[in-house]
Amino acid sequence: MHNAAFRKLGIDAVYVRFEVHPDELGDAIRGLSALGIQGANVTVPHKTDVMVLLEELTPEANAIGAVNTLVREDGHWIGHNTDAPALARSLDEAGVVLPDARVVVLGAGGAARASVVGLAQRGAAQIVVAARRAAQSEQLVADLAGVCADCELIASTLDEESLRSAFRDASLLVQSTSATLSRDTASAFAASLPLEALPASASVVDLVYKPRETTVLMRARARGLHCVDGLGMLLHQGALAFELWTGRTAPFEVMGAALEGP
C-alpha cells in the first residue's frame, strides 16, 4: 500500500521489509540511521523493546507503552503509535458505536494496549482486558489507568468462566492476540471462547489481517454477529504513518485498493 501511494504521488521512495531478530534490534535501528532511512514501521515482537532505543516518544506512544511507527526528524528518531486512532477509525467505518461502548479486549500486548487507549479516547464506558495470566492484564490496567481516567478498566483472564461473565454485557469484542495468526493455535483458541455468551447486537473485530477471515471471525459470523476484520485498521494505521513520513495527505483509496489486491 505504501509503494502504491508513493507511485500515485510521484514520491521517490520505496517501502521494503526487513526481518530483525530481537537480539539485533539495536543494530537495526542504528543501521536505519546510518543508511539515511527516514521512516519505518515496527511490528511484533519489537513494539515495546524499540522504545528505549529512540530519542523521543510522542505522549500517546509513551502512554500506550508501544511504538509502531518511527520518524527520523532533525537527526533523531521519534516513536509514534498509529494503532490507537487507526482502530477507532476502522470501527467508525464499519458502523460500530464507540461512545459508551462496553468492550472486552483479548490480550495484553502492544496491540491490546493501543486498543484500550484508542477506544477509551473515543468514549468507551468500560473495557475488560482478558489475558492468559492475571498479572498481565492487571499490569496493563495499572499502566493505563491514568490515561483512560474516564473509562472503567477491569483486569480479567481468558478462562471460560471469566470470559462468559465479561461477554454477557459486551457491545464489542476486540481480539488482539496473535493466536489466530497460527494454524497450530487458531482453531483451538477460537473454540475456547464462549462467543454464545455475547449479546446478539455485539460486534467482533480481530486485529489479525492475515488470514483476513480468522477462526474467531468465522465463529462470530456463524452466530450472526457483526464482524470487522483487521484490514481496516491496517489501512488506517498505514495512512497515518504515510502522512507522518511524507507530510502529504495519504491517497487513501489507492492504498486500500493495493491491500485488497487485484
Side-chain angles (χ1 to χ4, degrees):
M1 65 176 164
H2 288 299
N3 287 324
F6 291 144
R7 287 192 296 270
K8 175 67 176 177
L9 298 185
I11 295 173
D12 184 14
V14 64
Y15 187 94
V16 294
R17 182 174 64 180
F18 299 98
E19 185 173 353
V20 177
H21 190 277
D23 292 342
E24 298 172 339
L25 183 58
D27 290 337
I29 298 300
R30 288 186 287 274
L32 294 179
S33 301
L35 292 170
I37 291 173
Q38 295 302 301
N41 282 135
V42 183
T43 189
V44 175
H46 304 310
K47 288 185 176 185
T48 299
D49 292 342
V50 76
M51 295 174 68
V52 298
L53 303 173
L54 309 175
E55 291 86 353
E56 184 180 345
L57 300 171
T58 64
E60 188 167 63
N62 191 52
I64 292 169
V67 162
N68 76 327
T69 301
L70 310 183
V71 180
R72 187 81 171 158
E73 197 170 294
D74 297 327
H76 69 278
W77 287 110
I78 303 174
H80 297 255
N81 192 303
T82 64
D83 282 335
L87 174 60
R89 292 183 186 190
S90 69
L91 292 173
D92 280 339
E93 272 191 347
V96 177
V97 177
L98 299 181
D100 297 321
R102 301 176 73 85
V103 186
V104 178
V105 174
L106 305 181
R113 298 174 76 93
S115 298
V116 170
V117 171
L119 296 172
Q121 289 178 340
R122 287 300 312 280
Q126 181 189 84
I127 301 176
V128 177
V129 180
R132 280 186 303 155
R133 296 188 297 275
Q136 293 174 305
S137 55
E138 289 167 359
Q139 186 64 60
L140 187 154
V141 166
D143 289 347
L144 299 183
V147 188
C148 306
D150 294 330
C151 177
E152 182 185 13
L153 302 185
I154 300 172
S156 186
T157 61
L158 291 173
D159 71 273
E160 184 176 352
E161 184 178 348
S162 297
L163 287 179
R164 194 173 292 278
S165 175
F167 282 5
R168 286 193 188 102
D169 296 324
S171 59
L172 173 65
L173 172 64
V174 179
Q175 198 304 100
S176 75
T177 76
S178 59
T180 55
L181 270 171
S182 169
R183 292 180 181 177
D184 296 333
T185 59
S187 295
F189 179 75
S192 72
L193 303 177
L195 297 182
E196 66 278 4
L198 286 168
S201 58
S203 298
V204 177
V205 58
D206 195 324
L207 304 190
V208 168
Y209 53 86
K210 192 178 290 185
R212 188 169 178 180
E213 181 80 347
T214 67
T215 50
V216 168
L217 291 184
M218 283 190 282
R219 279 201 61 211
R221 209 178 299 280
R223 250 217 69 196
L225 300 175
H226 178 210
C227 293
V228 182
D229 63 48
L231 209 62
M233 181 176 173
L234 176 67
L235 173 57
H236 278 285
Q237 66 80 25
L240 289 165
F242 182 90
E243 292 175 353
L244 288 170
W245 295 328
T246 66
R248 304 276 296 274
T249 300
F252 196 77
E253 291 184 1
V254 169
M255 297 175 77
L259 282 182
E260 292 285 355

